[in-house]
Amino acid sequence: MSTFEPLVFSGVQPTGNLHLGNYLGAVRRWVALQENNNCIYCVVDQHAITQAVSVWGGPAELQRNTREVTAAFLAAGIDAEKHIVFNQSRVRQHAELAWVFNCIARMGWLNRMTQFKDKAGKDRENASVGLFAYPNLMAADILVYRATHVPVGEDQKQHLELTRDIAQKFNTDFSDRIAELGLGIETQSGDETIQSFFPLTEPVIGGPAARVMSLRDGTKKMSKSDPSDLSRINLTDDEDTISKKIRKAKTDSEPLPSDIEGLNDRPEADNLVGIYAALTDTDKAGVIRDFGGQQFSVFKPALADLAVAKLAPIASEMRRLSADTAYIDSVLKNGGERAAILAEKTMRNVRDIVGFLQD
Ligand code: AQP
């Protein structure tokens, strides 16, 4: 093999209902990528337990959420036969590789992660070690498949950069050993040519919904953990709830601008225009061409109708699939078995590279 084989990997935490941000920023783009790529899509349940049990809800809630997120993947159009869908904890090699990466990543790198700072807040001393080391597990999720591309929302960009740093350091630290075992691919590292075992994974981020913002505050990202349900559209919301949330979305009192620059410094307007653009597969400029100069009293009902038309079929399919627990479990089991074969292939090599004896 002279180049890394293209492979797409991504995941979502089962920490609650998926929302429009998860859908537009991640899952919907996964669906598009599966046309021309081999893809692995994961419900990252081990990430879900990094905060206090009262935050993630305990075992029964975790199981319910894991099944519900799986149902959302399938309802959104992920093909679990052609590609791989599974829950992370089934494939032990993720945690095994994460330990190796705990020993590769530097404290200083993790200290810079803004998501840890946001989630730990002022009570940093009381945060779990898992929350701090979360990006190392995320790097392992990706690299245990030597995935080359990861479609995510913009909030994950920093973690993807860390994944590349970890891959780079592993490749450099073990370059001679990788070469000796014949497991490397010749790559350039600065001025040097080294034998790389892990690819430097590319983030796939972009489009008008790379960062969907809260409907109550256009400066905060839409999030599962926001205490206000009005701040987000859940994929399980019914038609009336979707319409009500869009009607109540915070806006300023100006009409929509007639050019795209007019959205600068208007975070709420910018967010709603971005959502409309993503749902219609256009860009913000296209939406402004159609709605520039219009009041929100015109734009919001149009957006509500559009959101209902796009999301209601997914919600109804999710309800149907969620009722069939045995089917969802069989998808995860089958996906886990297929994923484990690939992950073990990487881990056998990693154990040899690091120097762990194995049979
Ligand atoms: N607001 C968003 N806009 C665009 N993309 C988003 N994503 C999350 N929020 C937005 C993307 O969805 C994928 C899965 O996210 P996750 O559930 O694994 O983690 P998260 O980013 O921590 O999601 P939340 O909703 O913000 O959860 P909490 O509230 O628990 O922290 C990722 O690709 C992410 O970029």
Side-chain angles (χ1 to χ4, degrees):
M1 187 167 54
S2 57
T3 54
F4 290 98
E5 219 157 287
L7 179 74
V8 172
F9 177 92
S10 198
V12 170
Q13 296 183 64
T15 40
N17 278 334
L18 288 202
H19 53 69
L20 190 63
N22 299 131
Y23 177 63
L24 293 177
V27 179
R28 199 183 66 141
R29 304 176 63 227
W30 301 1
V31 176
L33 282 164
Q34 64 181 356
E35 281 303 307
N36 297 315
N37 298 279
N38 289 323
C39 304
I40 302 179
Y41 295 132
C42 187
V43 185
V44 286
D45 48 6
Q46 289 172 312
H47 288 284
I49 64 164
T50 49
Q51 291 190 275
V53 180
S54 57
V55 174
W56 55 269
E61 182 79 356
L62 181 60
Q63 291 182 336
R64 198 182 65 77
N65 285 335
T66 300
R67 291 188 177 115
E68 191 170 283
V69 169
T70 308
F73 287 5
L74 303 177
I78 303 290
D79 182 340
E81 280 178 21
K82 218 159 143 204
H83 302 279
I84 294 180
V85 172
F86 71 107
N87 57 308
Q88 179 190 30
S89 58
R90 274 178 199 274
V91 180
R92 313 284 188 261
Q93 289 82 354
H94 288 232
E96 187 184 354
L97 184 58
W99 178 256
V100 175
F101 288 170
N102 284 343
C103 303
I104 296 283
R106 307 288 97 183
M107 290 291 285
W109 301 358
L110 290 169
N111 272 330
R112 286 195 286 274
M113 296 297 111
T114 52
Q115 194 177 82
F116 175 74
K117 290 181 195 155
D118 292 346
K119 290 198 170 173
K122 291 200 177 69
D123 201 7
R124 194 186 150 95
E125 292 298 306
N126 208 24
S128 75
V129 175
L131 185 66
F132 185 71
Y134 167 120
N136 295 345
L137 177 57
M138 178 166 158
D141 298 335
I142 296 163
L143 294 175
V144 83
Y145 303 102
R146 305 214 283 176
T148 53
H149 293 87
V150 178
V152 279
E154 211 167 74
D155 58 319
Q156 292 296 332
K157 191 168 174 212
Q158 198 184 30
H159 290 162
L160 256 301
E161 280 159 11
L162 186 92
T163 300
R164 292 165 63 91
D165 289 344
I166 289 173
Q168 178 88 298
K169 184 160 162 52
F170 182 96
N171 290 338
T172 312
D173 286 0
F174 294 103
S175 178
D176 291 347
R177 178 78 172 159
I178 294 166
E180 184 189 320
L181 294 169
L183 294 172
I185 286 175
E186 209 168 84
T187 48
Q188 217 46 41
S189 171
D191 292 340
E192 255 188 296
T193 303
I194 63 161
Q195 291 294 319
S196 290
F197 179 71
F198 288 120
L200 299 187
T201 307
E202 295 287 341
V204 184
I205 303 175
R211 195 175 183 84
V212 177
M213 308 310 274
S214 157
L215 299 180
R216 305 305 299 161
D217 177 351
T219 64
K220 268 174 44 188
K221 79 162 186 160
M222 185 177 284
S223 153
K224 297 186 205 106
S225 53
D226 192 314
S228 166
D229 194 54
L230 283 177
S231 70
R232 65 184 157 262
I233 293 174
N234 304 303
L235 290 191
T236 47
D237 284 343
D238 61 26
E239 302 185 8
D240 288 347
T241 310
I242 295 173
S243 299
K244 185 182 88 184
K245 286 179 176 176
I246 290 176
R247 245 189 359 261
K248 285 187 177 269
K250 185 180 163 201
T251 46
D252 51 42
S253 52
E254 300 293 311
L256 284 173
S258 47
D259 57 42
I260 187 146
E261 282 75 34
L263 289 171
N264 297 342
D265 304 321
R266 294 182 64 189
E268 283 84 15
D270 184 62
N271 188 37
L272 295 185
V273 168
I275 292 172
Y276 194 102
L279 287 171
T280 46
D281 284 317
T282 59
D283 54 14
K284 291 181 191 174
V287 180
I288 289 299
R289 265 197 303 280
D290 290 344
F291 287 96
Q294 301 275 16
Q295 299 289 346
F296 282 106
S297 56
V298 174
F299 182 62
K300 278 182 170 179
L303 178 58
D305 288 350
L306 175 66
V308 165
K310 297 281 181 184
L311 301 179
I314 298 175
S316 104
E317 180 64 357
M318 264 179 83
R319 275 191 291 279
R320 192 186 70 78
L321 289 166
S322 294
D324 192 349
T325 308
Y327 172 67
I328 297 289
D329 289 358
S330 73
V331 167
L332 294 173
K333 180 169 185 288
N334 174 276
E337 286 165 0
R338 288 154 63 210
I341 293 169
L342 301 175
E344 178 56 15
K345 196 166 157 227
T346 304
M347 274 319 294
R348 285 200 73 78
N349 290 334
V350 169
R351 290 180 208 117
D352 284 342
I353 291 168
V354 173
F356 296 145
L357 293 175
Q358 62 185 329
D359 298 333

